[in-house]
């Protein structure tokens, strides 16, 4: 870990979560009894292997040779110039194998599944990126793979569905509830509780019951560890601000976590603002929700006055989720990170801007982070720097972009 | 003695097993819930387990998920369910009522407020499926102050050490989940359940109810040989679903199912 001169924060961010998986009042394990023992086994296995040199060597090998890490940092000079303020740097997770940050985590969990003797993996997916990343590692390790996906998301992300099938996964269409990511997660949990003896559930984000939020964070934290070194090599110092999109929040926590004790680094998580917070049609629980319990953890949720989970809206399937990882909930309450929202339209504008100015087509999820960076940059001087996590590439979204603009492909 | 403890003590004395039907409040519409509760008691139910609809019933199979969706079309809330129990209590002051649901509606109402309102409505037990004992101490305290029994689950994956820990929190009865899976699954293994029940007897003196996968008189009677209570959920709810378009048929259909199960439980 490189050293830096920034003052240490008063709060210890490294000791979270506690032994029961709590980040302050958030996190924990809110699941039916059947899953408590399997979660304990998973926690024990993870704790055993996370510092095991052989496991870490295998993980490092795969991250380098299979995923293509380290991912580079790119200085978006032309775009920064246009925006007329801080210099924008992009952490290029879009260049990873399968085109997004999701594979950092699936490689880690698949290696753990093998050590636990599980032959079958299941996953939930929204945009399809985590499903593809899970199907990819399952193909690589010769494991059976079932991916649960909301019926509406299957419509929105046909290309990723086909990719998963090509990789040998079975994609199960989930037609209950709002037919999106949250319902896919419910269905994956039902599968796990039924097939718990031979099945490993690869959760794709930093939500769910303990140990998932901590484990997924640890696998994704490679993003921030690399970036911390790379930014210092490129600019001679740490960035002044970090920006990442937040659905469940795995790419964001992956970038943020190694910087949490660097008080000089401002942190911004950008939620899916949909049609705008005031419209009520958005996916921004940290900006406009309140604490509750869903999918195994206590966190901020989009819910009605009776505690029912309400349907979310975002142009980006990967952000279309009514909850958020519990560590983000805690970072919000402690004030260490700021959570803001970008609307569908703002994300689309950023999508086009980066594509045309830098020749990099971002995922619609990542476009939310770019949209906020575009607002933030002009408020900062030219010698400041903003590091944006470009969490995925936009090829999967071209049909969505075309349809919104009335173009038939 | 709580209504639940009294009920099990009386049944134990007479050598009978408790029959506990489950259905979702407000399914397929709110007006049928209270009459259905009375009809179930008349058909031989000893305890009523009333489901509180939730948008994301993670531990439930497709039958109860669909029941939640039908009830939520009428915006049936936790407060509405408590009002239904209160209405039931106007004519029935003896049959225990257990609410079964998920934590979030309770969390939003607030533990103290909920416990007080539930007690005033005449609720006897509360089972929150997604609240294991590790996270339950605040709610258990609130329920205790309101004289409501917290009901907890044991599963086939629960180790002996955990059984003891769970039973320290549990009151009224303990609910043994008969299989690894969701409600309404079809993988019930009577032999394995009976064997595990014998072991559980050595770990707790609480009455043990068994649920998940009990669908008819035959499976109820088989499980009833080793259990103090059988919970019949999805099989009951399926009758609500099948007759959702002609709700006048629901009560007769449920009555016939429960009478059949009652007869089989009492035969031996």
């Amino acid at each position: 870990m490189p050293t830096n001169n920034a003052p240490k924060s008063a709060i210890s961010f490294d000791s979270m979560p506690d032994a029961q998986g709590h980040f302050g009042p958030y996190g924990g394990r809110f699941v039916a009894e059947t899953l408590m023992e399997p979660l304990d086994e998973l926690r024990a296995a993870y704790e055993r292997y996370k510092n095991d040199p052989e496991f870490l060597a295998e993980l490092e090998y795969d991250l380098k040779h299979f995923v293509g890490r380290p991912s580079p940092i790119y200085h978006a000079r032309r775009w920064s110039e246009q925006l007329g303020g801080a210099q924008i740097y992009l952490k290029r997770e879009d260049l990873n194998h399968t085109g997004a940050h999701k594979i950092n985590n699936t490689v880690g969990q698949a290696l753990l599944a093998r050590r636990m003797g599980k032959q079958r993996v299941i996953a939930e997916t929204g945009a399809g990126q985590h499903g593809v990343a899970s199907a990819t590692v399952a193909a690589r390790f010769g494991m059976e793979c079932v991916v649960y996906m909301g019926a509406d998301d299957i419509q929105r992300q046909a290309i990723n569905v086909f990719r998963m099938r090509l990789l040998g996964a079975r994609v199960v269409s989930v037609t209950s509830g709002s037919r999106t990511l949250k319902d896919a997660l419910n269905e994956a949990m039902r599968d796990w509780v039924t097939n718990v003896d031979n099945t490993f559930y690869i959760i794709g984000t930093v939500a769910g019951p303990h140990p998932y939020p901590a484990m997924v964070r640890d696998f994704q934290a490679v993003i921030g560890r690399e970036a911390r070194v790379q930014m210092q090599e490129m600019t001679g110092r740490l960035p002044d601000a970090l920006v990442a999109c937040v659905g469940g929040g795995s790419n964001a926590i992956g970038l943020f976590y190694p910087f949490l004790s660097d008080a000089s680094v401002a942190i911004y998580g950008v939620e899916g603002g949909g049609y705008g917070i005031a419209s009520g049609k958005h996916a921004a629980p940290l900006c406009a929700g309140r604490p509750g319990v869903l999918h195994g953890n206590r966190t901020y949720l989009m819910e009605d006055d009776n505690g029912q989970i309400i349907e979310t809206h975002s142009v980006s399937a990967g952000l279309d989720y009514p909850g958020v990882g519990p560590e983000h909930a805690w970072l919000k309450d402690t004030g260490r990170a700021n959570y803001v929202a970008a609307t569908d339209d703002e994300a689309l504008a950023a999508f086009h801007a980066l594509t045309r100015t830098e020749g990099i087509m971002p995922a619609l999820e990542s476009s939310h982070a770019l949209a906020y960076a575009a607002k933030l940059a002009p408020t900062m001087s030219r010698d400041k720097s903003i590091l944006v996590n470009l969490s995925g590439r936009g090829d999967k979204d071209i049909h969505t972009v075309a349809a919104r603009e009335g173009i038939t492909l | 003695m709580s209504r639940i403890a009294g009920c099990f003590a009386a049944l134990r004395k007479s050598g009978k097993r408790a029959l506990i039907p489950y259905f979702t409040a407000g399914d397929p519409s709110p007006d049928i819930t209270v009459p259905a509760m009375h009809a179930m008691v008349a058909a031989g139910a000893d305890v009523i387990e009333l489901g509180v609809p939730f948008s994301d019933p993670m531990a439930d199979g497709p039958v109860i998920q669909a029941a939640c969706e039908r009830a939520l079309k009428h915006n049936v809330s936790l407060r509405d369910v408590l009002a239904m129990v209160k209405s039931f209590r106007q004519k029935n002051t003896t049959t225990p009522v257990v609410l079964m649901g998920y934590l979030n509606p309770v969390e939003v109402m607030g533990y103290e407020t909920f416990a007080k309102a539930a007690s005033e409505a005449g609720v006897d037990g509360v089972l929150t499926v997604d609240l294991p004992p590790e996270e339950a101490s605040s709610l258990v305290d609130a329920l205790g102050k309101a004289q409501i029994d917290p009901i907890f689950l044991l599963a086939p994956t629960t180790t002996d050490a955990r059984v003891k820990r769970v039973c320290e929190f549990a009151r009224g009865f303990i609910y043994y989940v008969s299989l690894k899976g969701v409600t309404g699954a079809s993988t019930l293994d009577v032999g394995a359940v009976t064997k595990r029940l014998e072991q559980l007897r050595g770990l707790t003196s609480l009455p043990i109810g068994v649920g998940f996968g009990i669908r008819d008189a035959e499976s109820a009677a088989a499980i009833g040989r080793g259990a103090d209570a059988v919970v019949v959920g999805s099989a009951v709810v399926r009758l609500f679903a099948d007759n959702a378009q002609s709700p006048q048929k629901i009560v007769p259909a449920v009555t016939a199912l429960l009478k059949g199960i009652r007869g089989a439980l009492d035969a031996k």
Side-chain angles (χ1 to χ4, degrees), chain B residues 19 43 216-218 220-221 254-266:
Chain B
L19 170 58
D216 50 24
E218 190 190 349
V254 170
T255 298
L257 175 72
L258 294 185
K259 278 188 169 165
I261 295 174
R262 179 82 265 169
L265 277 179
D266 294 346

Side-chain angles (χ1 to χ4, degrees), chain B residues 43 48 60 65 71 73 90 94 111 121 127 171 179 190 194 243:
Chain B
I48 304 275
D60 285 298
Q65 286 173 50
K73 279 206 177 108
Q90 288 173 0
T94 55
Y111 294 169
L127 198 180
R171 301 281 179 277
L179 48 82
V190 174
T194 305
N243 298 296

